[in-house]
Amino acid sequence: MVVATTRQIASSPAEMFSGQRSIAPSFADIIVSIPPDGSRQAGEVQWPQRIPGNPATEFVTLRAETIDKPAAVAAFDRLIAKSPKHRALVFVHGFNNRFEDAVFRFAQLVHDSRTTAAPVLFTWPSKGSVLAYGYDRESATYSRDTLEDLLRWLARNPRVNSVSILAHSMGNWVTLEALRQMAIRDGKIPRKIDTVLLAAPDVDVDLAREQIAAMGSRRPGFILFVSREDKALALSQRLWGNTRLGAIDPEQEPFKSELQRERIEVVDLTGVPSPDKFRHGTFAENPEVAGLIGRMVAEGQTLGDSRVGLGERFTLAATGAAATMGNAVGLALTAPLAIVDPVTREHYSDHVEAFGKKVEHTVEEITPQ
């Protein structure tokens, strides 16, 4: 994958990029090895237990090079040349993601969705801490200009036929802001940016309405993934005091009429099995949902030919769910473990376990079971 980031280059080469903000964007060329299909569960990130990892059973980074922009352009050109339909897929992660979390999650998504699009990761300066929600949100806002520039460059690249964007959680905020700004600056959003998948968006529903409206009539096809069982969004709603876009009921008014008027497709993941106890990472951790995303990206699925109807409940069989879905690393309130330092891993794990119990208890108090 090619990486564009507003993170600061870390002092330790093992960390590569930190959670601090950089004045100028940086780029990287990364190759991740994923265990053979027969040895892993789809939807799961098999984290290395030690460095170097075991490629037979764990995700292993084979290449991780910080590069300049011309080298990043050349690396992307090689990737887009291998894409049968010359499609690019941009992934924008959410809250509480270290750099390695974003890299491994995107690698898992690309692999499990079977997409042939050229993978581009946009990673913004998240501190990777459940205590840094405010910092992360401001970092996402800080990064909107850089994401806008990246999307504009991809759309202008003559080798690219189309661009899909997959945003998760707080990553939806920076994505919608970047697209809104592009529409205002340029008077339109390029037609090449044809599909935007909004997975569990942690965005105020009123703000999202204004952001999308500012894009005008010539805008991408939006596909919204929602769940009323998302405990992370329930907690965010309590903190911010208003409904989050990813937690709406698409069959209830005023949302049903608004979604239909704005021609926004909905995939309702309420009731869909997921190993994530917060139900915030279902889009990546459920193999069938990941496959659906892969088909949407591969086909450049537009609103007119979508097979997931407006407001339709997308349900999946739970048979064999425990066998087919792994215990993936949570992307929201369950913090990841450090992979480069066993001491840090042990200390961080203890801290997260203690804090996680408090967070879960709070969420359970405010979320219907």
Side-chain angles (χ1 to χ4, degrees):
M1 68 184 72
V2 173
V3 178
T5 181
T6 48
R7 294 175 184 262
Q8 197 173 102
I9 295 176
S11 55
S12 168
E15 187 180 2
M16 200 168 183
F17 291 102
S18 71
Q20 300 300 315
R21 300 165 190 157
S22 174
I23 296 176
S26 297
F27 304 90
D29 183 6
I30 293 181
I31 296 177
V32 176
S33 168
I34 296 177
D37 288 346
S39 64
R40 65 179 293 269
Q41 296 173 332
E44 183 179 5
V45 174
Q46 287 80 11
W47 285 84
Q49 297 302 306
R50 59 183 60 85
I51 302 297
N54 180 0
T57 58
E58 299 169 331
F59 280 49
V60 175
T61 304
L62 300 181
R63 177 193 294 167
E65 298 177 358
T66 302
I67 55 179
D68 58 17
K69 186 174 181 179
V73 171
F76 174 77
D77 286 347
R78 291 192 295 271
L79 289 177
I80 198 68
K82 297 177 182 179
S83 173
K85 296 186 179 180
H86 301 285
R87 294 187 62 82
L89 171 61
V90 180
F91 177 57
V92 186
H93 63 78
F95 163 63
N96 185 24
N97 269 230
R98 290 182 167 193
F99 177 70
E100 61 265 27
D101 303 329
V103 169
F104 278 8
R105 173 56 71 199
F106 189 32
Q108 174 262 313
L109 270 169
V110 170
H111 180 272
D112 291 346
S113 68
R114 306 299 183 189
T115 181
T116 57
V120 179
L121 170 64
F122 180 76
T123 172
W124 46 273
S126 166
K127 281 195 172 180
S129 168
V130 294
L131 303 176
Y133 187 93
Y135 176 90
D136 276 18
R137 182 173 174 83
E138 292 185 345
S139 289
T141 304
Y142 173 81
S143 304
R144 59 190 172 185
D145 289 356
T146 303
L147 177 57
E148 178 190 355
D149 290 342
L150 172 65
L151 295 175
R152 185 180 287 108
W153 179 84
L154 289 171
R156 290 176 177 173
N157 188 324
R159 297 174 178 84
V160 176
N161 287 338
S162 56
V163 179
S164 295
I165 306 169
L166 172 59
H168 178 237
S169 188
M170 195 180 286
N172 286 271
W173 167 256
V174 63
T175 298
L176 291 174
E177 278 291 282
L179 292 171
R180 171 183 174 274
Q181 288 186 169
M182 184 184 294
I184 292 173
R185 289 187 215 268
D186 302 344
K188 61 183 178 181
I189 295 176
R191 292 192 184 280
K192 283 187 181 181
I193 303 176
D194 60 5
T195 307
V196 180
L197 295 91
L198 309 174
D202 186 6
V203 182
D204 184 294
V205 68
D206 296 327
L207 287 175
R209 183 186 297 114
E210 293 298 311
Q211 288 170 316
I212 293 174
M215 298 177 198
S217 58
R218 184 173 165 179
R219 58 176 182 247
F222 283 97
I223 302 174
L224 172 63
F225 291 75
V226 300
S227 173
R228 292 178 298 286
E229 298 173 332
D230 192 321
K231 294 184 179 181
L233 293 183
L235 181 58
S236 178
Q237 180 172 323
R238 181 177 181 181
L239 293 173
W240 289 99
N242 199 24
T243 303
R244 315 316 285 172
L245 179 60
I248 66 170
D249 184 344
E251 291 299 324
Q252 297 298 315
E253 296 293 355
F255 307 122
K256 183 175 182 178
S257 296
E258 290 177 342
L259 291 167
Q260 188 169 13
R261 182 175 64 250
E262 298 296 336
R263 296 177 295 119
I264 297 175
E265 297 287 344
V266 178
V267 179
D268 193 340
L269 299 180
T270 305
V272 173
S274 172
D276 176 11
K277 62 184 177 181
F278 289 100
R279 294 294 191 269
H280 194 56
T282 306
F283 80 107
E285 298 174 3
N286 184 296
E288 295 188 54
V289 179
L292 174 66
I293 289 173
R295 292 191 295 275
M296 289 176 173
V297 172
E299 298 167 9
Q301 204 164 7
T302 61
L303 297 173
D305 64 6
S306 175
R307 289 190 296 270
V308 183
L310 178 64
E312 179 180 349
R313 178 71 57 82
F314 180 76
T315 57
L316 300 174
T319 306
T324 59
M325 294 185 295
N327 232 348
V329 177
L331 290 180
L333 299 178
T334 49
L337 302 181
I339 65 171
V340 296
D341 182 356
V343 176
T344 303
R345 171 196 284 266
E346 182 178 358
H347 172 75
Y348 195 59
S349 178
D350 291 342
H351 168 75
V352 169
E353 183 178 1
F355 184 79
K357 290 179 180 178
K358 296 179 182 179
V359 173
E360 185 175 9
H361 178 70
T362 302
V363 173
E364 287 177 349
E365 288 180 345
I366 63 173
T367 308
Q369 298 300 306

